[in-house]
């Protein structure tokens, strides 16, 4: 089979490998599609070399079908469409014992800390599988994991129907948060610097604001002077973090979604003055995955608008380069492309 490896030095390679049979309790997945996310780009840039063993098969936004079952696996059949919730926790640390296993203090994020989905056959623990409905295409199903991130962010904020939310950052996760928030009954405004992405956001029916304008005044006008109930910081930019609290109402909530590689200044005087709530939102729980599957299956998520292009596994380096250069919203890797011709 073919597998893509992060080889260090901003390089992805595609190599031949012998697929191992699934071990006891494991399921082998024929990976159909794998989405490239911001974390994967951080890996490519070398920002996570202290954590990722090189060479490494990465990838965790995926869909596929069950190809083989290891000993002791029940409840699954060859051909079942699936995705994977890529979190393996130890069950013994203080976080796990407190009911927060999804942010285990010794978490194995599969596809980062252990081998991921950019390979044609992928063996995973059967407990990580999430079933997919037959009505959901495998291309769209590759968006379940990032949609689950958005669902978790919105649930973490306790956003309620009729409330108003500001999303700072109109990239894939920002758009997904906006879509999930709208599906939950909220009104949403998105702040995005890039004009192309701002146009894409507007095409999806959201009000899209340019941060170079007086966006705080625009939000105050939109909310009748109150401010937004919830602000999601998704951009990762220092200036956005500093200004995020200015959008929030008295006792509003700021949810930090973006991965910030270094400490950022924040206006704690504003946090104090308005009694704001500051929350982190990191990954997801199983109910977030189940909700994400349902939203995608119901067409509540603009999957086709998010997927800029689909590229074969053999062009994985070009796909990473395109995303690094800001040329796409979301690129899917067709992991099985060319398999039959190669076998012939």
């Amino acid at each position: 089979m073919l597998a893509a490896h992060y080889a260090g030095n901003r390089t992805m390679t595609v190599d031949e490998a012998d697929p191992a049979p699934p071990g006891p309790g494991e399921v082998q997945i024929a990976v159909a599609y794998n989405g490239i996310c911001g974390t994967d780009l951080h890996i490519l840039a070398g920002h996570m070399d202290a954590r990722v063993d090189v060479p490494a098969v990465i990838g965790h936004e995926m869909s596929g079908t069950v190809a083989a079952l290891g000993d002791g696996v029940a409840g699954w059949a060859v051909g079942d469409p699936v995705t994977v919730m890529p979190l393996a926790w130890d069950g013994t640390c203080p976080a796990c014992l407190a009911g927060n296993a999804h942010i285990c203090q010794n978490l194995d994020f599969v596809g980062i800390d252990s081998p991921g989905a950019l390979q044609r056959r992928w063996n995973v623990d059967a407990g990580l599988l999430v079933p997919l409905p037959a009505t959901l295409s495998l291309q769209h199903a590759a968006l379940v994991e990032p949609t689950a991130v958005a669902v978790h962010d919105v649930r973490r904020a306790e956003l309620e129907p009729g409330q108003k939310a500001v999303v700072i950052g109109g990239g894939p996760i920002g758009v997904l948060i906006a879509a999930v928030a709208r599906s939950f009954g909220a009104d949403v405004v998105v702040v995005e610097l890039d004009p192309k992405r701002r146009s894409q956001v507007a095409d999806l029916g959201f009000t899209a604001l340019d941060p170079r304008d007086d966006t705080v005044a625009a939000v105050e006008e939109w909310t009748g002077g109150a401010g937004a109930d919830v602000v999601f910081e998704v951009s990762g930019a220092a200036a956005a973090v500093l200004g995020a609290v200015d959008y929030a109402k008295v006792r509003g909530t700021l949810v930090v979604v973006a991965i910030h590689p270094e400490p950022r200044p924040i206006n704690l005087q504003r946090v104090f003055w308005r009694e704001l709530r500051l929350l982190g939102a990191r990954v997801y729980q199983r109910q977030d995955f189940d909700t994400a599957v349902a939203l995608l299956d119901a067409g509540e998520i603009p999957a086709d608008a998010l997927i800029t292009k689909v590229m074969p596994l053999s062009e994985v380096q070009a796909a990473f380069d395109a995303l690094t250069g800001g040329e796409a919203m979301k690129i899917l890797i067709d992991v099985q492309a060319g398999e039959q011709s190669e076998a012939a």
Side-chain angles (χ1 to χ4, degrees), residues 3 18 41 111 152 199 221 239 260 297:
D18 293 325
L41 297 181
H152 186 72
S199 176
E221 181 179 357
H260 292 270
D297 193 40

Side-chain angles (χ1 to χ4, degrees), residues 104-116:
C104 169
Q105 290 166 230
N106 303 301
L107 187 68
D108 174 0
F109 195 116
V110 183
I112 299 174
D113 303 308
S114 56

Side-chain angles (χ1 to χ4, degrees), residues 16-311:
E16 291 187 0
D18 293 325
E26 290 186 335
V27 169
Q28 185 176 89
I29 302 173
V31 180
Y33 297 97
N34 186 101
I36 301 172
C37 78
T39 302
D40 298 323
L41 297 181
H42 279 295
I43 293 173
L44 184 75
H47 298 159
M48 300 173 71
D49 280 359
R51 179 176 171 186
V52 177
D53 293 330
V54 179
V57 179
I58 61 174
H60 57 272
E61 299 182 1
M62 58 76 59
S63 64
T65 55
V66 172
L69 305 175
D71 291 342
V73 174
W76 299 98
V78 172
D80 285 347
V82 294
T83 187
V84 164
M85 179 173 158
L87 305 181
W89 46 79
D90 63 16
T92 62
C93 75
C96 288
L97 295 177
N100 299 311
H102 68 294
I103 46 174
C104 169
Q105 290 166 230
N106 303 301
L107 187 68
D108 174 0
F109 195 116
V110 183
I112 299 174
D113 303 308
S114 56
L118 278 171
Q119 53 184 318
R120 286 184 171 163
R121 294 292 185 273
W122 186 31
N123 296 334
V124 301
D125 187 283
L128 303 185
L129 296 190
V130 177
L132 299 173
T135 48
L136 180 61
S137 75
L138 290 179
Q139 277 196 15
H140 288 184
L143 298 182
V144 168
E145 193 271 352
T147 302
V149 170
V151 172
H152 186 72
D153 298 338
V154 173
R155 278 205 313 112
R156 186 95 171 92
E158 299 177 348
L159 187 64
E160 296 179 358
Q163 290 188 328
K164 297 185 184 296
V166 172
V167 178
I168 305 174
I173 293 296
V175 170
L176 286 168
I177 290 172
V180 170
R182 182 167 62 185
S183 77
F184 281 25
D187 295 326
V188 185
V189 161
V190 178
V191 180
E192 170 55 44
L193 180 63
D194 182 81
K196 182 178 180 180
R197 284 190 168 179
R198 202 162 55 246
S199 176
Q200 292 172 322
V201 167
D203 288 344
L204 295 174
F206 300 105
T207 299
L209 303 179
D210 185 339
R212 291 167 294 193
D213 298 331
D214 191 346
T215 50
V216 172
V219 169
E220 287 184 352
E221 181 179 357
W222 174 52
T223 61
D229 297 278
V230 177
V231 180
F232 297 93
E233 202 303 288
V234 197
S235 72
V241 176
L242 185 60
V245 294
D246 293 336
Y247 296 117
K249 73 173 189 179
V250 168
R251 290 204 166 184
T253 298
L254 171 61
V255 183
V256 180
V257 178
I259 298 174
H260 292 270
E262 57 190 38
R264 304 294 198 194
I266 188 168
N267 186 353
L268 290 179
Q269 199 277 342
R270 182 77 167 185
V271 173
F272 156 79
W273 196 255
R274 289 207 160 193
E275 292 196 357
L276 301 182
R277 187 171 60 146
L278 177 62
L279 296 175
R282 181 177 163 193
V283 278
Y284 29 64
Q285 295 165 286
R286 178 55 187 257
Q287 69 186 94
D288 301 318
F289 257 73
D290 294 339
T291 300
V293 170
L295 289 174
L296 280 156
D297 193 40
E300 295 284 342
I301 304 300
D304 288 328
L306 280 165
I307 300 170
T308 306
K309 62 176 71 173
V310 180
M311 301 176 69

